[in-house]
Amino acid sequence: MRCYRGQGVDLLQYVLRRLGMMFVIVFGASFLAYNLQAYSSNPLSAFTESTEQNKSFLIAKMIRDLQLDVPPPLRYFSWLRGIVGGLWGDFDMGLSRNNIPVIELLAQAIPVTIKLVITATFLAIILGISVGMITAIRQYSRFDYVMTFISFLLFSLPIFWVAVLLKEFMAIQFNDFLADPNIPPATIITIALILGFIMASFVGGSKAQFLTVAAGGAAFSAAALTFMSGSNWFLEPALGIFGVSFLALCNAAIVIQLISGLDSKKGRIAGFGTAVSIAALYYPLQTLMSANASLVNVLAIFAVTISVGLTIGYFVSDIDRRVYSRISFFTAFISTFPIIIDRFMQEFPGYMNSDAVNRRPVPTLGQNNDMLTPEQLENFWVAGLDTAVHLVLPTIALTLISFAGYVRFSRGSLLEVLNMDYIRTARAKGLTERTVIVRHGMRNAMLPLTTILVNDFAGLLGGAIITEGVFAWKGMGQLFNDALRGYDMNLFMGVFVLSATLTVLANFVADLLYGVVDPRIRIRK
Amino acid sequence: MSKINPKAEATLEKDENEIANRQTAGLSQRQIVIKRFVGHKAAMASLFTLIGIIVTVFTATGIRVGGESFGFTIPGWWPYSITDIDPEGAIASMCNGGVTGCPTLDLAPAFMDGDGVKFGNHPFGTDIIGTDYFALVVRGAQQSLMVMVIVSFLGILIGTVVGAIAGFFGGIVDAVLMRLTDMFLVTPVIVIGAVIGFRFGNLGVIPLALMLGFFAWMGLARFVRTEFLTLREREFVDAARVAGASNRRIIFKHILPNAMGIIIVVGTLLMSGAILIETSLSYLGFGVRPPDVSLGLLISEYQGTFSISPWLFWWPGALIVSIALCVNFIGDGLRDAFDPRQRKHISIKDRKRAKEMKRLNS
């Protein structure tokens, strides 16, 4: 909190004022929402066509139960009393119409929604920002035009439409493909060429360089695909020690290039050294990943790899210790994922051939497979794999949709920064292009991104309503849906207040964070 | 990417400025904006596509002016309507064992499959009860376009008024209006939309759109406010005030024209957002209800039969995507046109022409 030094009182005042404002906003918004929902729904409409004998009794009962004789603006306050009760430890969100406390329903739904969106959000952020920044660096290149078109296209796609396409092509047809997992040579060549061109556009350079990279990438992809097709890889997937080492080395190269540049000798030792030692840890780490492992084991693996990485970083460097430690930290952290993914893959053949899955591993609906045996559920890796395959389609759909926003935003942000005078100064000082773009450009371009990152996490509910509906997940969106269709006022307000509070808090955190990361911003007195 | 040495870059930049200046010499602000927009190829192509879609969609099945009991219908050029069930016994004669009528549209030319380009009676096929699918899709697109126009009109109107008042007057008015905006803003649009649609969806698309419009202005209001806050401190506003202009005159004659850029750009974003919201609501069952038709409704109805009759799924989706895509590209073109900082990309052709002119002049 460097920028607030000497203004502690101001900051306290600011935080208190903002908190007060947040209460007012959430109060106003919930009042609005309550009345909107109360006036636009009529629970008694269920009886209009009823022919039951005790119809009038039932109507009277419902009016009494739901307090329908109290006008909504007043009824709001009886709901509010439960919320305000939180101030003296008597918090009460009321009961749903099935007589289950709303807070319990919310507690069940929140983890589901978070599980649904978290992978997609991270993927979209990482892919979107990197693609956006590359398009900004190569402004007006062919890659830029293609990515601009693609991001506009993704902007215009309705998620429910994408979902149906994914179900058809990613799930049903992929499952059919697994019955006989051989890729015809013509398809291999096409896919390899496309992948080659994508890799080359990321790397860029002169025309000759572009073609070399494209040809190399295509040849490599073709070889990999032929190997995967020939060796039944799709039925028995594995990375093995070779896959893990290869990925670790590639990852190290990217991390080194971003942090110190590949021409730094110590950077190379720190990065590649870490990658090699992670690969060497492949077999020892398998002992930590037995069938009865848990999340603790996974954390332990990360602890082991990261401490190995940091040790290497420490001994490599004598000055600039932070730079090399950062290289080995990120190399170690990212390279651990392949090891864990490899462990999940080892369970795949067994999972796929079990009765519950019946050789069709990619499901189109649901958040887990109900037919798994207790034995399978107890196995951390099988249960995890089950969650993972259920996440495939929603994650792709959500990533595609939110990817476009990050591309456009980070592109615009970096372009704006690159036009600044300090970039010109940095170039004039004779810094390398890498340093100018990564240290002076990208870092500053990331600042405004904090705002949308935080807001996106808060806007989960909006995205979840449709996605959960399409893929039949039982999270917050589904709860909202149920509340709306079932005239469930308490449930509706529970979901609403939670999401409104999250949004307001996120805005507040974003403003504070912005002040921390950008010393130019000062809070207003 | 060719390496450029710093000296050459400096002259290049000077050249580019010169070219850009010469391209806009002697033109008014409005002419510059129009010229830039017309030069944006993707935006122009989208504009023509969108106009094409609008004209086709609204002339095809005719428009009903007025209500059920009064008013008149302007007839369209398409022979079938959404209420004609199985007009020519199309189902029985068609594929899929008579479940749905296959599309008769064939765009592959004669030399490719020997059938030749033809539209046939039912270019998009027919649905499960034999209704012409082209008529259904056209009706759905009409609904979506109407929602788009109404929502964005209301959103722009309210957003501009609120933002302008908050930004211009500042102080307590600003604080109150902005907290009000925040109150509306904390709810995701789809949540509000679902509540509204649940109540108003069965009344038809226009009441739904009107209600959605009342909850679509918040983003624009914020942008307009920021714009007004900076503009009202500018010298020309002081000059107008010294000359005795009233607040109203300053707002409408001096500030609003300068804020038009941001209003139009955010407005187009609002339009493409409105289409996606309406189709999503209808898909979820909160928007337009049967027997009326909407693109989202068609998709939700036929997503299950994708493997048997994929065209019932493709066409409504393709229309949503093309309308939203066109609007987004037009918005992009407008942003480029209105942003004076954004230097237009100088093409090789421009540079050659400039060199030629320089040579001729000297």
Side-chain angles (χ1 to χ4, degrees):
Chain A
M1 303 285 263
R2 182 172 34 191
C3 61
Y4 292 128
R5 188 176 296 156
Q7 21 173 269
V9 180
D10 284 350
L11 179 66
L12 189 70
Q13 242 175 24
Y14 172 76
V15 169
L16 285 179
R17 211 181 53 211
R18 281 294 298 261
L19 282 175
M21 227 34 167
M22 275 158 50
F23 273 112
V24 175
I25 288 172
V26 173
F27 167 76
S30 63
F31 184 74
L32 256 170
Y34 193 96
N35 287 299
L36 193 67
Q37 162 70 348
Y39 280 117
S40 65
S41 68
N42 178 14
L44 296 177
S45 65
F47 294 114
T48 45
E49 285 174 16
S50 159
T51 50
E52 280 182 64
Q53 301 255 311
N54 54 352
K55 187 172 159 183
S56 57
F57 168 74
L58 286 176
I59 290 179
K61 184 177 184 304
M62 184 180 272
I63 289 179
R64 203 184 56 231
D65 288 352
L66 301 180
Q67 291 182 298
L68 292 181
D69 46 349
V70 183
L74 289 180
R75 223 190 310 154
Y76 169 78
F77 287 96
S78 69
W79 172 82
L80 187 68
R81 200 180 52 204
I83 303 293
V84 176
L87 291 178
W88 52 89
D90 184 22
F91 188 70
D92 180 21
M93 288 183 129
L95 300 174
S96 80
R97 284 190 60 192
N98 301 329
N99 284 325
I100 307 168
V102 168
I103 193 129
E104 266 176 38
L105 287 170
L106 284 178
Q108 281 166 14
I110 294 168
V112 176
T113 299
I114 291 179
K115 202 160 79 176
L116 178 73
V117 292
I118 196 145
T119 327
T121 312
F122 275 112
L123 270 180
I125 290 172
I126 293 170
L127 288 177
I129 292 182
S130 33
V131 169
M133 294 204 164
I134 292 171
T135 53
I137 296 169
R138 300 192 212 306
Q139 197 189 7
Y140 301 132
S141 66
R142 208 165 299 133
F143 181 67
D144 183 24
Y145 284 125
V146 171
M147 281 325 293
T148 305
F149 180 78
I150 291 179
S151 54
F152 273 123
L153 186 67
L154 294 177
F155 252 147
S156 318
L157 286 178
I159 190 166
F160 54 90
W161 198 65
V162 177
V164 177
L165 290 183
L166 284 176
K167 282 180 187 180
E168 178 67 24
F169 293 107
M170 288 298 297
I172 298 175
Q173 297 202 0
F174 183 73
N175 286 339
D176 289 346
F177 161 79
L178 282 186
D180 176 27
N182 283 313
I183 316 175
T187 322
I188 291 189
I189 293 172
T190 324
I191 298 176
L193 282 178
I194 295 173
L195 287 177
F197 270 98
I198 294 175
M199 287 181 210
S201 346
F202 268 100
V203 179
S206 68
K207 198 167 235 174
Q209 220 172 340
F210 180 89
L211 288 177
T212 324
V213 176
F220 175 78
S221 325
L225 283 172
T226 316
F227 168 76
M228 285 157 94
S229 166
S231 66
N232 251 357
W233 192 87
F234 290 101
L235 293 178
E236 290 155 11
L239 291 174
I241 179 113
F242 293 109
V244 168
S245 345
F246 176 73
L247 288 176
L249 289 174
C250 291
N251 162 42
I254 296 173
V255 172
I256 300 168
Q257 172 65 10
L258 279 178
I259 295 180
S260 74
L262 274 170
D263 40 5
S264 144
K265 191 180 166 202
K266 281 185 178 162
R268 286 201 306 263
I269 298 176
F272 291 126
T274 311
V276 169
S277 42
I278 300 268
L281 281 171
Y282 177 75
Y283 286 111
L285 283 178
Q286 297 293 323
T287 54
L288 267 175
M289 300 188 283
S290 60
N292 54 6
S294 68
L295 206 58
V296 181
N297 296 48
V298 175
L299 292 179
I301 290 169
F302 274 103
V304 170
T305 53
I306 288 174
S307 46
V308 168
L310 286 180
T311 319
I312 294 175
Y314 185 86
F315 282 110
V316 166
S317 49
D318 33 23
I319 52 167
D320 276 351
R321 192 150 271 162
R322 281 174 65 179
V323 174
Y324 301 111
S325 304
R326 217 183 297 151
I327 291 179
S328 8
F329 171 80
F330 280 112
T331 311
F333 179 69
I334 304 172
S335 306
T336 311
F337 282 98
I339 296 185
I340 297 187
I341 292 171
D342 178 72
R343 182 64 185 80
F344 279 114
M345 283 178 167
Q346 290 171 21
E347 296 292 340
F348 187 77
Y351 173 79
M352 174 151 159
N353 289 322
S354 67
D355 289 338
V357 180
N358 197 17
R359 303 185 67 81
R360 297 191 72 81
V362 185
T364 54
L365 287 176
Q367 58 205 56
N368 49 32
N369 192 328
D370 300 332
M371 282 147 60
L372 288 181
T373 58
E375 193 185 326
Q376 280 177 312
L377 283 176
E378 266 168 38
N379 187 327
F380 175 76
W381 305 102
V382 177
L385 187 63
D386 187 51
T387 309
V389 292
H390 282 87
L391 269 173
V392 170
L393 294 191
T395 301
I396 297 178
L398 283 170
T399 311
L400 283 180
I401 301 291
S402 44
F403 166 77
Y406 291 112
V407 172
R408 299 304 298 165
F409 200 88
S410 53
R411 178 179 183 272
S413 178
L414 185 57
L415 277 180
E416 196 147 309
V417 169
L418 288 181
N419 273 331
M420 293 281 178
D421 286 340
Y422 56 78
I423 294 292
R424 192 174 298 207
T425 312
R427 287 219 172 91
K429 277 196 294 192
L431 296 179
T432 59
E433 191 62 17
R434 193 197 66 79
T435 318
V436 172
I437 288 180
V438 176
R439 287 231 188 114
H440 298 244
M442 284 187 184
R443 276 196 185 178
N444 286 306
M446 293 291 271
L447 294 180
L449 280 169
T450 48
T451 321
I452 54 164
L453 291 191
V454 178
N455 275 328
D456 260 32
F457 271 105
L460 297 182
L461 176 66
I465 292 177
I466 304 175
T467 325
E468 285 178 12
V470 180
F471 291 106
W473 279 55
K474 299 218 172 344
M476 296 271 289
Q478 205 55 39
L479 224 49
F480 175 79
N481 230 326
D482 293 347
L484 205 57
R485 288 180 206 274
Y487 305 108
D488 200 332
M489 212 62 211
N490 285 339
L491 188 55
F492 173 84
M493 288 310 287
V495 178
F496 179 87
V497 161
L498 186 72
S499 96
T501 314
L502 271 182
T503 314
V504 183
L505 269 178
N507 268 320
F508 176 53
V509 172
D511 285 354
L512 277 188
L513 263 184
Y514 208 87
V516 176
V517 291
D518 190 345
R520 287 170 301 185
I521 305 272
R522 287 276 191 274
I523 54 172
R524 248 186 302 164
K525 282 185 188 163
Chain B
M1 222 166 59
S2 55
K3 286 263 181 291
I4 302 167
N5 67 24
K7 205 173 153 192
E9 197 179 9
T11 51
L12 193 70
E13 195 170 305
K14 200 170 139 251
D15 274 357
E16 287 192 355
N17 278 332
E18 214 169 283
I19 297 172
N21 284 339
R22 191 172 307 133
Q23 281 173 345
T24 54
L27 296 176
S28 74
Q29 186 66 32
R30 183 175 300 172
Q31 284 167 320
I32 294 172
V33 168
I34 292 174
K35 193 178 151 85
R36 278 181 153 171
F37 182 75
V38 172
H40 197 293
K41 282 192 202 102
M44 282 310 279
S46 304
L47 186 64
F48 284 117
T49 317
L50 188 63
I51 292 175
I53 292 177
I54 292 175
V55 169
T56 317
V57 156
F58 278 98
T59 55
T61 53
I63 310 160
R64 177 89 191 152
V65 180
E68 291 286 327
S69 48
F70 58 96
F72 56 97
T73 308
I74 304 167
W77 47 264
W78 189 247
Y80 309 110
S81 84
I82 56 167
T83 48
D84 297 341
I85 294 167
D86 203 5
E88 291 161 356
I91 310 181
S93 63
M94 290 292 171
C95 57
N96 285 336
V99 179
T100 53
C102 282
T104 52
L105 178 70
D106 192 354
L107 287 181
F111 57 85
M112 279 176 74
D113 65 350
D115 260 6
V117 181
K118 65 178 172 64
F119 288 93
N121 282 338
H122 301 289
F124 292 3
T126 64
D127 76 351
I128 246 146
I129 54 167
T131 315
D132 179 61
Y133 206 58
F134 181 78
L136 285 169
V137 169
V138 156
R139 172 73 182 151
Q142 283 177 6
Q143 309 263 46
S144 293
L145 287 167
M146 273 193 293
V147 170
M148 183 176 98
V149 171
I150 296 173
V151 169
S152 56
F153 175 78
L154 271 180
I156 290 173
L157 190 73
I158 305 175
T160 309
V161 170
V162 172
I165 293 175
F168 186 79
F169 292 105
I172 186 85
V173 182
D174 180 28
V176 170
L177 281 178
M178 280 303 109
R179 291 299 86 73
L180 197 71
T181 313
D182 285 343
M183 273 175 207
F184 279 90
L185 207 59
V186 291
T187 344
V189 188
I190 189 97
V191 171
I192 291 282
V195 175
I196 295 168
F198 196 65
R199 170 77 175 80
F200 292 95
N202 52 357
L203 295 182
V205 75
I206 291 176
L208 177 71
L210 285 173
M211 287 305 293
L212 280 177
F214 283 111
F215 294 92
W217 50 271
M218 293 82 76
L220 184 71
R222 282 190 156 185
F223 279 110
V224 173
R225 170 181 173 267
T226 323
E227 197 72 9
F228 265 64
L229 278 179
T230 46
L231 284 173
R232 79 167 181 193
E233 305 297 332
R234 296 272 292 274
E235 292 83 354
F236 63 85
V237 173
D238 289 341
R241 187 165 287 134
V242 171
S246 65
N247 275 343
R248 214 177 86 185
R249 191 178 164 81
I250 292 175
I251 292 178
F252 285 105
K253 284 275 170 193
H254 296 274
I255 302 188
L256 201 58
N258 282 298
M260 238 23 228
I262 192 92
I263 295 175
I264 291 176
V265 171
V266 181
T268 52
L269 283 180
L270 209 60
M271 288 169 109
S272 63
I275 276 216
L276 293 184
I277 289 285
E278 183 269 326
T279 48
S280 307
L281 287 177
S282 301
Y283 175 85
L284 289 173
F286 294 133
V288 177
R289 318 271 165 84
D292 211 340
V293 186
S294 144
L295 294 177
L297 207 58
L298 287 176
I299 292 178
S300 92
E301 214 165 310
Y302 294 113
Q303 56 181 348
T305 56
F306 187 88
S307 44
I308 320 167
S309 41
W311 62 90
L312 295 181
F313 171 80
W314 282 116
W315 283 114
L319 255 152
I320 299 176
V321 175
S322 20
I323 296 173
L325 192 62
C326 285
V327 174
N328 277 330
F329 266 115
I330 294 171
D332 191 47
L334 285 171
R335 191 182 48 223
D336 281 1
F338 273 110
D339 192 354
R341 280 175 312 171
Q342 186 115 21
R343 215 171 39 207
K344 187 178 172 287
H345 180 43
I346 310 276
S347 65
I348 298 170
K349 211 172 76 189
D350 289 334
R351 196 162 290 147
K352 269 189 192 145
R353 201 184 295 148
K355 253 184 207 153
E356 194 69 12
M357 279 174 69
K358 217 176 202 172
R359 201 175 53 82
L360 288 176
N361 285 346
S362 60

